[in-house]
Amino acid sequence: MTSPALTDVRPRWVKDGALGAGRFRYGADYNPEQWPRDVWQEDMRLMREAGVNIVSLGIFSWALLEPRPGEWDFSWLDEVMDLLHENGIDVDLATATASPPPWLTRLHPEVLPQTADGTVLSPGARQHWRPTSPVFREYALRLTRAIAERYAGHPALVAWHISNELGCHNIYDYSDDAARAFRVWLQEHYGTLDALNDAWGTAFWSQHYGAWDEILPPRVAPTQRNPGQQLDFERFSSDAVRDHLRAEAAVLREVTPDVAYTTNFMVAQNVRDIDYATWVDDVDFVSNDHYLRPGELGRDDLSFWANLTGNLAGGRPWFLMEHATSAINWREVNPPKRAGELVRDALTHVGHGADAVCYFQWRQSRAGGERYHSGMVPHAGRDSRVFRDVVALGAELDALAAVTGSHREKARVAVLFDYESWWVSGRDSHPTEALQYDAEQLAWYRALLDLGIRADVLPLAASLDDYDVVIAPMLHVVTDEVRRRLEHVVRDGRHVVVSYFSGIVDGHDRVWLGGYPGALRDLLGVTVEEFVPLLPGQPVTLGSGSVATTWTERIVRLADGVDVLDTYADGDLAGAPAVTRRRAGAGSATYVSADIGRDGVAGVLRGLSVDIDALAADPLAADGRVEVLSRTNGAERFVFLANRTDESVLLQLDGDAMGSTETDADGTLALAPRAVAVVRQDAAVLAAAAADGIRSSSTARA
Ligand code: GAL
């Protein structure tokens, strides 16, 4: 059931539809079917008051649109589409296939997904369907076609919203449908069983396969399952859901060739199972959902994922499809946003390239599992802090309209992000279960922010050509091709920084031999003989004072020209190298063999900054108190300054303040706690300043 990739027939990167119409898109998921008609009228009034100009509609409406198999009721949706249009609000219309109606699973229980232990998931929540079910596919495509044909010419329609957060609850299905599709996927990828047996190392524990039909998804087994099989099942599962996206997209493209489509990605910390780098060519524009992590980490975490989303979109504008005005409902504790955070979060996404700011959802639900999840209109109604902030943000986005269409400005430093290294480094049967790929990525990103260095979070496959420094935190899976690309950076006179447990396995989770860090041993000039994971409560200190809490490595050999930058000061490795640097011509390769955290890696980067210009602080970052974000349209540069602290920061700015940003006559700005200021600068003036050797035309005041 593989559908063709659609890149060849995709008409355009949205020009004048959902994005790029010279104004920000502002809105939410809109679920009017949960409310009586008089509320719809109030919705229109409040949407106009807030400046809402787009909604995503019909996402969970299948049961109402097709109340019985093949019987359609579009009457209410017709009415809502017309109402929105009369009020000047455009629609990102859902294909409504995300959650099948009760009749479908009663007629066809064989579409229900199965977990690894054989449990069949019941209807009663949402997304209870197998991505590989031919039966589900048929019903979903019939619905997609019916909606596409009905609304093809509707003036409110500007984009299609395929399904919703594909794979959020059902990415891993271990059913017999999945088993059949997995085998087809494996045959396409390996060709022969010999190749598969070799890749998976099936000589181990008598796992050798003699026929394709013997292969199953990695269901619950007596003990550790085959790592190669697990990795391929993860890849297959990501592809299987993408195949569903392609199938719906093919129908939409056939019926409405001029209407762009998207599906909302979850490029975020809570779902890690989809390799979105392999999905970006399957949508007309990238859209993403993000939910703030509560606590001290939240703002930087948001910045990290928005940064990655912007780079997945190739620097082009993207669509923030969902985030929350205030509290969510699915973590253990769900505090509301603090004063300023609603605007700060939205503008941080914008600084990373979003041209649309949308929420889940317009009106907070009264019933159902998400009744305590905030909306643009809270339970308290219009007279509320949240709605006032919503209105203020709408006005701010209007005032910033000139920013739309501009691209993210590339940084000189890249942090390499790799979904497969995330999956594999967290596998069972490892030296420790304490390693966390996302935490390690964030430690480096936050250290860069602390030092006032702008960086791009870059999908592994992206070009490294424009970066002076490439940081690879826990790049665990390294193929020959990736190794060559990193070696090229250093040969080219640029700099690579790698952290522990990198380069260890190939693309089948087989260990590279000859000593760790395997594929990167020559690049880094170090040989590690053993991993030395740390027991809880037994940290190890380095000479610099940095502290490792979960991981250290026994480096036993250094190649010529490798300097030791830091050593282990206590524990079994006392006196051994911990941080090293190999110089090669003008380039260098630095290795950090322990998990020394945000402060530790900041120390390493500070040391390197002595002779790596790209690691120098941006004065506008005010010693790391401010994140500096930058977008450009060629002629102008839009600088977003996000206060990372709970205190005001005094900045001296060049350029024109935009929106609600206000400077004194001499360009002084007191950036309020958690606020984001926006300044417009003339790119020609900046280029001249750069030519004069001026690093930045603005500074932070003490
Ligand atoms: C997303 C989903 C929305 C809503 C939201 C709540 O995962 O797409 O429908 O459930 O989370 O945070």
Side-chain angles (χ1 to χ4, degrees):
M1 60 160 45
T2 304
S3 316
L6 290 163
T7 43
D8 41 342
V9 289
R10 188 178 50 193
R12 60 176 190 255
W13 185 269
V14 183
K15 281 202 304 286
D16 45 12
L19 287 173
R23 58 178 174 162
F24 279 99
R25 288 304 194 160
Y26 187 44
D29 284 14
Y30 182 38
N31 300 304
E33 65 272 35
Q34 296 176 13
W35 299 95
R37 278 184 170 63
D38 55 323
V39 174
W40 300 0
Q41 296 300 335
E42 192 196 27
D43 286 339
M44 295 307 113
R45 281 195 301 279
L46 295 184
M47 282 186 192
R48 283 204 313 266
E49 183 179 347
V52 164
N53 56 34
I54 195 164
V55 293
S56 296
L57 189 64
I59 292 175
F60 296 107
S61 299
W62 190 343
L64 294 182
L65 295 174
E66 191 182 5
R68 279 163 293 282
E71 242 180 66
W72 309 103
D73 176 8
F74 290 113
S75 54
W76 67 272
L77 190 55
D78 290 352
E79 216 180 307
V80 177
M81 289 287 286
D82 292 348
L83 194 60
L84 286 163
H85 182 60
E86 281 157 24
N87 283 277
I89 296 159
D90 291 330
V91 175
D92 165 51
L93 186 58
T95 56
T97 56
S99 204
W103 59 255
L104 198 155
T105 46
R106 193 177 49 144
L107 264 183
H108 296 290
E110 72 274 21
V111 308
L112 294 168
Q114 198 174 306
T115 59
D117 67 359
T119 304
V120 174
L121 296 177
S122 293
R126 66 174 173 186
Q127 250 185 4
H128 41 282
W129 50 276
R130 302 177 183 179
T132 58
S133 161
V135 175
F136 178 80
R137 181 73 58 87
E138 197 182 316
Y139 281 94
L141 296 189
R142 187 171 76 175
L143 175 63
T144 302
R145 183 172 296 278
I147 292 181
E149 286 175 349
R150 179 136 195 125
Y151 297 103
H154 198 287
L157 174 74
V158 292
W160 291 115
H161 184 104
I162 294 179
S163 190
N164 189 63
E165 289 192 343
L166 280 161
C168 180
H169 308 295
N170 60 349
I171 177 142
Y172 294 125
D173 164 43
Y174 297 79
S175 66
D176 289 342
D177 278 334
R180 274 187 289 276
F182 186 36
R183 289 178 201 127
V184 171
W185 188 95
L186 292 168
Q187 284 172 20
E188 282 167 9
H189 282 73
Y190 289 104
T192 66
L193 272 178
D194 281 350
L196 178 139
N197 279 310
D198 179 50
W200 287 8
T202 57
F204 180 78
W205 282 355
S206 180
Q207 292 171 349
H208 186 91
Y209 292 103
W212 292 100
D213 281 354
E214 292 166 2
I215 302 172
L216 294 169
R219 294 175 178 157
V220 170
T223 185
Q224 295 142 2
R225 292 161 295 172
N226 182 296
Q229 178 192 15
Q230 292 189 66
L231 174 55
D232 276 337
F233 188 68
E234 284 159 338
R235 290 174 173 144
F236 154 78
S237 299
S238 175
D239 288 359
V241 184
R242 186 187 58 191
D243 202 55
H244 185 87
L245 162 67
R246 288 180 176 176
E248 287 198 18
V251 173
L252 298 173
R253 182 89 326 138
E254 181 198 324
V255 180
T256 54
D258 290 333
V259 181
Y261 55 77
T262 190
T263 190
N264 42 345
F265 292 178
M266 301 163 283
V267 181
Q269 72 287 346
N270 47 323
V271 180
R272 48 154 224 154
D273 311 301
I274 292 173
D275 184 350
Y276 286 115
T278 68
W279 283 43
V280 285
D281 287 337
D282 285 288
V283 289
D284 286 336
F285 58 98
V286 167
S287 55
N288 192 44
D289 299 350
H290 181 272
Y291 288 95
L292 190 73
R293 273 162 91 158
E296 178 274 332
L297 189 69
R299 200 221 68 90
D300 291 351
D301 179 78
L302 180 159
S303 168
F304 177 89
W305 297 107
N307 191 324
L308 175 61
T309 306
N311 284 303
L312 282 166
R316 288 170 294 200
W318 52 278
F319 205 110
L320 176 61
M321 188 64 86
E322 287 181 26
H323 69 316
T325 55
S326 190
I328 58 162
N329 69 312
W330 42 263
R331 297 189 204 272
E332 256 173 57
V333 183
N334 299 296
K337 287 193 177 178
R338 300 164 69 201
E341 288 187 354
L342 181 148
V343 175
R344 176 202 69 183
D345 292 353
L347 293 188
T348 305
H349 285 290
V350 169
H352 281 295
D355 266 8
V357 173
C358 292
Y359 290 97
F360 176 85
Q361 59 178 329
W362 165 248
R363 187 179 278 278
Q364 183 169 10
S365 294
R366 185 171 186 204
E370 295 185 318
R371 64 207 178 290
Y372 296 113
H373 192 295
S374 59
M376 292 174 92
V377 183
H379 286 157
R382 178 176 177 274
D383 186 12
S384 56
R385 175 177 79 118
V386 166
F387 191 70
R388 279 188 287 278
D389 280 0
V390 159
V391 172
L393 176 60
E396 180 74 349
L397 291 173
D398 268 351
L400 297 177
V403 174
T404 60
S406 62
H407 288 208
R408 294 181 86 252
E409 198 169 46
K410 270 196 179 172
R412 296 170 68 193
V413 176
V415 176
L416 279 188
F417 180 88
D418 176 34
Y419 279 99
E420 294 198 347
S421 287
W422 194 0
W423 302 342
V424 177
S425 61
R427 188 77 70 222
D428 58 276
S429 62
H430 270 191
T432 173
E433 289 178 3
L435 297 188
Q436 284 185 321
Y437 180 82
D438 51 340
E440 176 66 6
Q441 288 270 327
L442 212 53
W444 286 89
Y445 188 70
R446 298 188 88 191
L448 289 160
L449 290 174
D450 293 344
L451 295 173
I453 299 165
R454 212 161 54 79
D456 284 341
V457 181
L458 210 62
L460 182 61
S463 165
L464 305 179
D465 287 352
D466 297 324
Y467 295 96
D468 295 328
V469 181
V470 175
I471 300 177
M474 208 188 287
L475 185 62
H476 186 66
V477 180
V478 175
T479 60
D480 271 326
E481 190 249 349
V482 171
R483 173 182 58 75
R484 276 194 296 271
R485 290 173 58 217
L486 290 173
E487 287 172 354
H488 173 76
V489 172
V490 175
R491 253 202 321 278
D492 203 31
R494 294 176 287 133
H495 308 276
V496 168
V497 181
V498 175
S499 81
Y500 61 98
F501 210 37
S502 288
I504 305 301
V505 298
D506 68 7
H508 302 292
D509 202 358
R510 295 176 304 197
V511 174
W512 289 105
L513 299 179
Y516 316 123
L520 302 180
R521 200 174 51 237
D522 292 343
L523 170 76
L524 298 163
V526 301
T527 303
V528 170
E529 192 177 312
E530 283 179 317
F531 303 129
V532 189
L534 303 175
L535 294 171
Q538 297 188 3
V540 161
T541 307
L542 276 58
S544 60
S546 295
V547 178
T549 52
T550 60
W551 188 267
T552 57
E553 295 177 356
R554 188 187 303 280
I555 296 179
V556 292
R557 251 189 319 283
L558 299 178
D560 287 347
V562 174
D563 298 324
V564 175
L565 305 185
D566 206 350
T567 50
Y568 292 105
D570 54 28
D572 290 346
L573 300 178
V579 180
T580 62
R581 184 178 186 202
R582 181 184 145 239
R583 287 170 194 271
S588 73
T590 299
Y591 187 53
V592 178
S593 69
D595 71 317
I596 50 177
R598 167 185 174 189
D599 291 342
V601 302
V604 172
L605 292 170
R606 205 177 288 113
L608 297 177
S609 71
V610 173
D611 61 2
I612 302 178
D613 185 50
L615 295 178
D618 184 330
L620 264 186
D623 302 320
R625 288 173 290 160
V626 172
E627 176 177 14
V628 183
L629 299 155
S630 177
R631 294 179 62 165
T632 180
N633 59 18
E636 290 165 314
R637 185 174 181 235
F638 304 101
V639 182
F640 289 67
L641 300 160
N643 190 340
R644 299 173 68 211
T645 74
D646 286 341
E647 276 150 33
S648 300
V649 179
L650 216 53
L651 297 169
Q652 183 72 40
L653 300 179
D654 265 1
D656 300 330
M658 295 179 78
S660 59
T661 302
E662 276 178 15
T663 55
D664 287 351
D666 67 346
T668 306
L669 164 81
L671 186 60
R674 301 186 285 279
V676 179
V678 189
V679 187
R680 184 205 299 246
Q681 298 175 329
D682 187 318
V685 173
L686 289 173
D692 286 348
I694 302 167
R695 294 185 64 87
S696 169
S697 51
S698 310
T699 48
R701 290 246 190 111

